[in-house]
Structure formats: C-alpha cells, structure tokens
Amino acid sequence: MAGKFEVYEDAGGKYRFRLKAGNGEIVATGQGYASKDAAHKGVEAVQRAADGASVVDLKPKAAARPPAIAGTGPGPEG
C-alpha cells in the first residue's frame, strides 16, 4: 500500500499534515497552517520538492578540543 498525506486540525485550531507510510507509521509532519487550504498547499509544496530530491548524508563535525595549557595535564610537569 502506498503512503498518504493526512490533513487535520490540531488542538490549537491550526491545520497540519502528516505523511504516513503504507504500514501506518508517521514518517513526516508539517507545520501549523491557518487554513485547511494552506495545509493542502503545504502538502503540494513537499510533493514538488521531494520529486527527484537527492539524499545527502551529513557528517557531524569533529568536536573542537581546547588548546593544551602547559603544566595542567598529566605528565612529569603536571
């Protein structure tokens, strides 16, 4: 079964969408919109943007190490 977008009204009165996989798992959610029509336009924008989109793996940056200060670390001087 193919996935589907669902448009719904949240508890705060905003309209949102969610993308559900064929097995019913929610795989993406959209922001809150003032109207149902705007939420449908949000779905259409996601569909257009995802068509042919590439997958990019982002590598986390290495944690910066603070500079060593003489006499503060382990060793014969510290």
Side-chain angles (χ1 to χ4, degrees):
M1 181 174 159
K4 64 181 176 181
F5 284 94
E6 296 178 338
V7 175
Y8 63 97
E9 187 176 1
D10 68 14
K14 297 282 186 174
Y15 290 90
R16 298 180 179 273
F17 65 82
R18 59 184 161 228
L19 173 59
K20 283 191 172 182
N23 66 358
E25 179 181 355
I26 297 171
V27 295
T29 58
Q31 66 187 45
Y33 294 90
S35 69
K36 188 183 285 190
D37 185 57
H40 279 271
K41 288 179 181 176
V43 168
E44 292 168 5
V46 169
Q47 289 173 319
R48 283 191 308 274
D51 185 32
S54 61
V55 176
V56 178
D57 288 324
L58 302 178
K59 180 179 179 183
K61 293 182 179 181
R65 291 183 143 187
I69 300 172
T72 60
E77 298 169 339

